[in-house]
Amino acid sequence: MAKKSAPDDRSQRHRSDKALAHRLKRLRADSMNPVMEMSEAETASRTGAVSVDCGWGRLIFAQTFENAADLVSAIREEGPERRDIAFYVRDPHVLLAEAPQEIFLDPSHTFRLDLATYRSGRRQPRGYFVRRLSSEADARAVNRIYAARGMVSVRPDFFWSNRDNRAITYFVAEDEATGEIVGTVTGIDHRRAFADPEQGSSLWCLAVDPQARHPGIGEMLVRRLAEHFKARGAAHMDLSVLHDNDQAIALYEKLGFRRVPVFAVKRKNPINERLYARPLEAYDALNPYARLIVDEARRRGVHVEITDAEGGFFRLSHGGRSVHCRESLSEMTSGVAMSICDDKAVTRRVVEAAGIVVPEQMVAGDDRHALQAFLEKHGRVVVKPARGEQGRGVAVGLETIEDIDRAVATAREVCDRVLVEACFDGEDLRLVVIDFKLVAAAVRRPPRVVGDGRSNIRRLIESQSRRRSAATGGESTIPIDAETERCLAAAGFDLDTVPESGTDIVVRKTANLHTGGSIHDVTGVVHHRLVEAAINAARAIDIPVVGIDFMVHSPTEPDYVFIEANERPGLANHEPQPTAERFLDLLFPLSGHRAATQALGKM
């Protein structure tokens, strides 16, 4: 065997020398070409094996490495909390044999768009436009979308520091009405990264805000990037997509992408664990609120046992300690605290005694004179069941006895005892308090649709509801019921109305996420008086994890009235705030990076 290996080794060295000579010849030719002007970072990558730092990790061009051992060495250099991708792996079986315990074959398909035959679509964006990323505010918004989609975040200054990097292009979609960033995509120009002889390019990190109101944002971002690379003379644009992401695959095939036999390899790390490890039994049946916590627990090495997936129950164990949870409700919340939150009238009395501002309230009964007097005093009222959750049976902004009667009848389907409260004009603010510290603050806004000049309101609601459901794992939909019809009638519409293009219509007054509302992070600007009031309410109830709801004129102003306390607040949808991380810190303070940092004396 030894005698046979010698000529094979010489032959391998000969092929390697030829490949190196070919690359050096190409580099010399490129250096004489004044058109190929490169940044310092790009020039550094030209010396051999190539990788491009994308912020979330490195895109490693496997075809530029001489052998599997060198490529594995590069993959091992992955930074903490990063996700490197080795793309264009020619012989994945050989590469995996080199380090089977450290790397894995990404279960994704590669799709390619032939830019020579690609034709731009006729459809134009409505209600938003696509442009280059241009500020650090854009970068923060992109990170928010990444977090909402479970993607690895990027330092905001990375985007800004790479704005002149000719190999990387960032596009964002901006809502015309609000100015919010609602989508993003990243493109890599392979020729400018390493003078790719195939003149390729690739698409990465396509992400749309799950609360975006406008259809077709993802498609427009893909088209804009394809047009950009076609104008630069690229031959094709590649992308990698998980094999079971049917919705994305359908979009790419619609745009003319076709599958190609190109593979990606990644390093086994906590971020990638769900791609290579055996999934937890019944994991897919968990709702997003339970899944968020389970994912964070597994990332930290906390043992997870799903005890009832449909109900959102799971047991977490670490270091000899075991805690049973239902989403964010754990055994650390007492039965007394739960009882206080369960009955809205009791909650109101408890927090009022602690100095929290509460709205005037009465119980809906048979005394219509008292109800009429209450309505005349306040002008507009809120009707809600004394016990209930997820916005069921709640009606806001009622101005007539007839509307109140109907709302009371609906609320009694949820709970026999119904409350009538003074209506406070403003925005619905949710403050998540964990361990008596504010973790997240967000404004919740009612569901709304935007007219397109063709569809009636019923159809617009159904389309928006499908998008909300897809973005939230079925947790958020817009009901078409008596409350929706009442809100439309108050604005002069009905379900058959065809609104003009661009008309913005609020279809329900309640801002609950389960009935189609949207949530917008305001943690960085919320007034300190509101934070103090929320923490005081949590202490009055003596509850370690709670969502405190206020009505406010603005999250930046101190005025508020207390609405309710939720003993099982949904920790999802508060990106980029670390809600699940703080929850696990509360349950298992000696788990995760925080504990390691403390042990090393770095905190």
Side-chain angles (χ1 to χ4, degrees):
M1 295 294 292
K3 291 182 179 179
K4 291 183 179 179
S5 65
D8 288 343
D9 291 342
R10 287 194 299 272
S11 176
Q12 177 65 39
R13 284 197 298 272
H14 177 66
R15 286 194 297 270
S16 296
D17 291 344
K18 285 182 65 179
L20 180 60
H22 176 70
R23 182 177 285 112
L24 291 172
K25 181 179 179 180
R26 192 173 70 236
L27 289 174
R28 283 194 296 270
D30 289 338
S31 66
M32 298 174 64
N33 184 354
V35 177
M36 289 299 293
E37 179 183 347
M38 296 230 169
S39 69
E40 182 179 346
E42 291 163 342
T43 303
S45 71
R46 296 289 299 281
T47 58
V50 179
S51 64
V52 174
D53 186 358
C54 300
W56 39 262
R58 295 170 302 156
L59 178 59
I60 301 171
F61 290 92
Q63 73 271 40
T64 65
F65 285 74
E66 292 294 342
N67 54 63
D70 289 346
L71 182 52
V72 168
S73 295
I75 296 172
R76 284 177 177 145
E77 294 170 2
E78 179 183 70
E81 301 295 324
R82 301 292 90 182
R83 176 184 277 172
D84 290 352
I85 302 174
F87 203 40
Y88 300 104
V89 177
R90 292 194 182 94
D91 298 312
H93 54 296
V94 175
L95 187 63
L96 293 177
E98 190 75 25
Q101 302 302 318
E102 297 178 70
I103 61 176
F104 68 98
L105 185 63
D106 185 34
S108 295
H109 295 320
T110 300
F111 282 81
R112 173 167 293 178
L113 181 66
D114 184 351
L115 295 177
T117 59
Y118 170 73
R119 296 292 179 266
S120 300
R122 296 179 180 178
R123 182 178 175 184
Q124 295 299 315
R126 289 178 177 269
Y128 66 94
F129 58 91
V130 177
R131 61 170 174 80
R132 291 283 193 102
L133 183 145
S134 61
S135 69
E136 289 197 47
D138 288 350
R140 288 191 294 272
V142 167
N143 259 341
R144 174 183 57 78
I145 295 174
Y146 284 174
R149 291 301 190 180
M151 299 162 66
V152 179
S153 61
V154 179
R155 295 190 332 269
D157 65 295
F158 177 88
F159 291 105
W160 193 240
S161 63
N162 278 272
R163 64 190 183 278
D164 295 325
N165 187 334
R166 299 175 70 224
I168 307 178
T169 300
Y170 303 105
F171 285 114
V172 295
E174 179 180 327
D175 188 298
E176 290 179 351
T178 65
E180 292 182 345
I181 301 303
V182 294
T184 179
V185 70
T186 301
I188 306 294
D189 189 328
H190 300 178
R191 296 178 307 153
R192 295 187 174 185
F194 63 100
D196 179 17
E198 295 185 2
Q199 300 184 3
S201 63
S202 53
L203 177 156
W204 300 93
C205 296
L206 175 66
V208 176
D209 189 331
Q211 301 184 114
R213 296 179 296 156
H214 307 288
I217 295 173
E219 177 180 341
M220 290 303 166
L221 286 165
V222 175
R223 287 189 180 279
R224 180 67 183 86
L225 190 63
E227 291 160 7
H228 168 76
F229 283 135
K230 182 172 182 175
R232 280 189 170 187
H236 59 260
M237 182 171 75
D238 293 343
L239 59 84
S240 180
V241 58
L242 280 174
H243 70 97
D244 57 357
N245 191 345
D246 296 333
Q247 189 176 9
I249 290 172
L251 168 63
Y252 300 139
E253 290 178 337
K254 167 189 169 184
L255 296 179
F257 284 82
R258 58 182 177 83
R259 269 189 65 183
V260 292
V262 172
F263 303 98
V265 167
K266 296 176 181 175
R267 182 171 170 267
K268 292 181 179 179
N269 63 27
I271 296 173
N272 293 325
E273 184 176 5
R274 68 184 183 87
L275 299 177
Y276 64 83
R278 180 181 178 182
L280 283 170
E281 187 175 351
Y283 173 84
D284 290 339
L286 292 173
N287 65 37
Y289 308 106
R291 198 176 300 162
L292 179 78
I293 297 169
V294 166
D295 287 344
E296 174 62 18
R298 297 186 74 192
R299 189 181 70 81
R300 292 174 178 232
V302 173
H303 177 72
V304 178
E305 176 192 359
I306 298 174
T307 54
D308 185 83
E310 187 175 345
F313 289 90
F314 49 88
R315 182 177 293 280
L316 305 178
S317 304
H318 182 72
R321 175 182 172 83
S322 177
V323 183
H324 207 185
C325 304
R326 185 185 186 189
E327 299 167 13
S328 65
L329 176 65
S330 77
E331 294 171 337
M332 296 184 69
T333 296
S334 71
V336 172
M338 279 190 62
S339 296
I340 292 172
C341 293
D342 183 55
D343 191 316
K344 294 178 175 62
V346 175
T347 314
R348 179 182 178 278
R349 292 197 296 270
V350 169
V351 300
E352 184 180 20
I356 306 301
V357 180
V358 298
E360 189 172 347
Q361 184 185 90
M362 67 174 288
V363 176
D366 296 329
D367 190 346
R368 291 180 61 79
H369 293 295
L371 190 58
Q372 181 69 50
F374 191 86
L375 177 60
E376 290 174 357
K377 179 179 179 181
H378 297 290
R380 298 166 64 244
V381 299
V382 177
V383 168
K384 59 186 178 182
R387 304 175 72 175
E389 59 182 3
Q390 300 182 349
R392 290 193 295 267
V394 178
V396 178
L398 305 175
E399 298 179 341
T400 69
I401 284 291
E402 292 74 22
D403 283 342
I404 294 174
D405 287 340
R406 284 190 288 269
V408 168
T410 301
R412 282 195 172 126
E413 295 175 3
V414 179
C415 177
D416 289 339
R417 194 156 51 94
V418 176
L419 306 176
V420 182
E421 282 184 352
C423 188
F424 183 90
D425 288 327
E427 293 192 293
D428 186 331
L429 177 68
R430 162 61 64 89
L431 299 108
V432 177
V433 177
I434 298 178
D435 198 17
F436 306 109
K437 302 178 185 68
L438 179 74
V439 175
V443 169
R444 301 188 297 178
R445 293 179 180 143
R448 52 212 307 148
V449 297
V450 180
D452 59 9
R454 302 185 304 273
S455 307
N456 63 27
I457 293 178
R458 181 188 297 276
R459 193 169 178 182
L460 293 171
I461 291 175
E462 290 171 346
S463 296
Q464 176 74 344
S465 190
R466 282 195 297 271
R467 289 195 296 274
R468 294 290 294 130
S469 179
T472 61
E475 290 294 309
S476 179
T477 56
I478 305 173
I480 298 179
D481 56 15
E483 176 63 9
T484 303
E485 292 177 340
R486 185 188 67 80
C487 292
L488 290 174
F493 302 109
D494 61 37
L495 291 169
D496 295 322
T497 302
V498 178
E500 294 182 6
S501 180
T503 304
D504 197 318
I505 303 168
V506 175
V507 298
R508 292 179 73 87
K509 293 293 181 66
T510 53
N512 193 283
L513 292 180
H514 290 87
T515 53
S518 59
I519 188 165
H520 308 266
D521 181 67
V522 294
T523 309
V525 299
V526 67
H527 197 280
H528 68 91
R529 292 280 296 277
L530 303 178
V531 176
E532 292 167 3
I535 293 173
N536 288 340
R539 290 193 181 280
I541 302 169
D542 194 18
I543 186 167
V545 179
V546 65
I548 301 295
D549 293 343
F550 291 156
M551 287 299 293
V552 299
H553 292 306
S554 166
T556 61
E557 298 175 8
D559 298 325
Y560 73 93
V561 294
F562 174 88
I563 301 301
E564 64 181 32
N566 191 321
E567 76 279 6
R568 182 164 50 100
L571 300 185
N573 307 310
H574 283 283
E575 299 83 5
Q577 305 309 325
T579 52
E581 290 93 321
R582 297 296 83 83
F583 181 71
L584 266 294
D585 287 344
L586 172 70
L587 268 53
F588 303 103
L590 297 182
S591 68
H593 294 293
R594 189 179 184 185
T597 304
Q598 285 178 317
L600 293 171
K602 295 183 178 180
M603 284 187 70

